[in-house]
Amino acid sequence: MGAGLSGLVAAREIARAGHSVAVLEARSRVGGRMLDQPIAGGEVVDLGAEFIGPTQNHIRALVDELGIATFPSPNEGQNVYLAGGRRMAYSDTGPTGTAPPDLALLTDLLLAIPQLNSLSLRVGAEAPWDAPGAAQLDSQSLETWLRRNSPAGQRFMDVARAATRPIFGAEPRELSLLFVLFFIAASGDERTVGTFERNFNTRNGAQQDRIDGGTQQIATKLAEGLGRRVIRRSPVRRIVTGRGYVDVISDRYVNRARRVIVALPPVLAGRIRYEPALPSLRDGLTARMPQGHLIKIQAIYERPFWRGDGLNGSSISDAGPINVTYDSSPRSGAPGALLGFVGGDEARAFTRLSRDARRRAALESLARGFGARARDPIAYFETDWAAEPYTRGCPVAIAPPGVLSTYGRALREPIGRLYWAGTETSTYWNGYMDGAVRAGRRAAREVLERL
Ligand SMILES: Cc1cc2nc3c(=O)[nH]c(=O)nc-3n(C[C@H](O)[C@H](O)[C@H](O)COP(=O)(O)OP(=O)(O)OC[C@H]3O[C@@H](n4cnc5c(N)ncnc54)[C@H](O)[C@@H]3O)c2cc1C
């Protein structure tokens, strides 16, 4: 179920092993949280997933295998930092890296980030619910921990919020500390310890590279390989397990299968009716892991004018609605594109504005970072993934305090003939395309062992 990256990868593995498989997809398109938008010059911009980076070996290998090119994210020039109404340009090769070199932040940064990195070693990416002290780490939010463990001046809390909004689509108060530590540990691979910096940075981090021609083509190519086995416009509503079979009932068909992989975010998996009913731990998990709320803005210009000003398009701001931006221009550099993330409380406030007011507010944010020319794009796109019935938020499911330690073990444990995929079930790079590929392969392996 689900022709996002995870479901398609799982189906391909099963087809390759010589078994019959069908992928039921609710939408009329494949790719889920990967979506390309055509723009001028025959180019596209990504309205969903966009970047890949070091240690994301599974998505990298898949992209190579499909013959899709990548290119480095534009990273020449300076980053922009806006705080307390002031603007500063700085290089991410300085001593603080991507973090802004603001003296008002430095003590807190130097205290908090290394501590979070080292605590994440204790938690690991495999089974955070079994980590020593898991319940205690899970009993507090990231916000409570930041306030207790660093002097946490207001400036630092504002920047922490500006970071959690794009990463999780959530505020520090909504995130369990255990979950954040798991997410940091997951920003690596089996041989490389995860770090906050690898997650957040462009240089040597998760924003390092782009997919030439957009990420949705990864899904489109996988779906082409599967041909008529991918069935679009078929939202699944019920799953009935009988003796020796499972019936998957969508709006269009009843498909009888031996095993089923549910490759959806937990909150959507929880909206399917299961017969017999799912065990309480699994049902409890799906009721407690909402998707983050992240809106992605793409503003398109004749050319990337900020490059001429010595800027690389990356910015972080304590004022909304956009807290973080990147240069999202296609490889050719024409047209230019700036992407802006509106997340957490900013996203919730943004959705209450009229369409015109939203556009004005977003472009004003960009103008504060990049000057008046940012107010006049040739095209403007905003995607509110929380409003999409078959996504309901992004980039990833989040765990509030008390959930991961109690319900986490139900994330990927098969139940009878039902198996769970989707990036939210991954160990490393949970929430990312790499995690979606890993999860699809793992679920396919589990099924193949039983066929
Ligand atoms: C704005 C944004 C920015 C992001 N940036 C990045 C990035 O830069 N790098 C990165 O690696 N990742 C990024 N991500 C995350 C990335 O998109 C996801 O990790 C990945 O695409 C998840 O794939 P998936 O297959 O697990 O889930 P999905 O893509 O959500 O796929 C689930 C599929 O199931 C379908 N479905 C839902 N309900 C039903 C039903 N009842 N019946 C049948 N089908 C159903 C959906 O339509 C969808 O196609 C971003 C996501 C967003 C939205």
Side-chain angles (χ1 to χ4, degrees), residues 274-292:
Y274 299 87
E275 295 170 29
L278 290 183
S280 56
L281 202 67
R282 171 73 202 178
D283 189 59
L285 174 87
T286 63
R288 285 168 174 81
M289 274 193 89
Q291 297 298 100

Side-chain angles (χ1 to χ4, degrees), residues 1-8 24-27 29-34 47-52 56 59 206-207 215 234-237 250 263-265 268-269 272 291 294-296 341 383 385 389-391 393-396 421-424 429-436 439:
M1 281 173 53
L5 185 53
S6 207
L8 290 168
L24 296 179
E25 166 55 46
R27 289 177 164 105
R29 63 168 182 87
V30 298
R33 282 171 268 178
M34 307 188 302
L47 300 183
E50 178 153 349
F51 303 101
I52 63 171
Q56 297 184 351
I59 184 71
Q207 282 64 243
T215 57
S234 290
V236 174
R237 309 291 181 191
S250 76
L264 313 182
L268 292 183
I272 309 289
Q291 297 298 100
L294 183 63
I295 296 168
K296 188 168 179 180
F341 285 123
T383 315
W385 289 90
Y390 297 117
T391 299
C394 78
V396 62
T423 190
E424 280 79 11
W429 292 108
N430 185 295
Y432 291 77
M433 292 184 284
D434 193 69

Side-chain angles (χ1 to χ4, degrees), residues 133-215:
Q136 194 262 337
L137 294 170
D138 207 21
S139 69
Q140 52 197 308
S141 69
L142 176 64
E143 171 134 358
T144 338
W145 185 88
L146 286 173
R147 289 198 187 282
R148 266 197 215 126
N149 290 276
S150 56
Q154 193 53 42
R155 178 69 59 87
F156 180 64
M157 286 309 297
D158 290 345
V159 171
R161 268 185 214 108
T164 61
R165 286 171 185 159
I167 298 177
F168 300 103
E171 301 292 310
R173 66 170 191 277
E174 297 177 273
L175 301 161
S176 139
L177 176 64
L178 180 71
F179 175 68
V180 172
L181 296 173
F182 156 68
F183 218 72
I184 293 173
S187 302
D189 63 20
E190 287 79 354
R191 288 175 306 280
T192 323
V193 164
T195 63
F196 173 79
E197 291 85 343
R198 189 173 307 103
N199 187 292
F200 193 63
N201 291 3
T202 298
R203 199 179 296 278
N204 302 319
Q207 282 64 243
Q208 179 181 274
D209 293 311
R210 299 261 310 282
I211 306 294
D212 199 5
T215 57

Side-chain angles (χ1 to χ4, degrees), residues 9-60:
V9 164
R12 188 175 76 147
E13 298 291 312
I14 288 172
R16 276 181 170 175
H19 296 282
S20 66
V21 64
V23 187
L24 296 179
E25 166 55 46
R27 289 177 164 105
S28 55
R29 63 168 182 87
V30 298
R33 282 171 268 178
M34 307 188 302
L35 177 60
D36 300 343
Q37 169 66 48
I39 53 168
E43 302 281 5
V44 302
V45 283
D46 290 299
L47 300 183
E50 178 153 349
F51 303 101
I52 63 171
T55 73
Q56 297 184 351
N57 310 314
H58 290 253
I59 184 71
R60 170 74 63 181

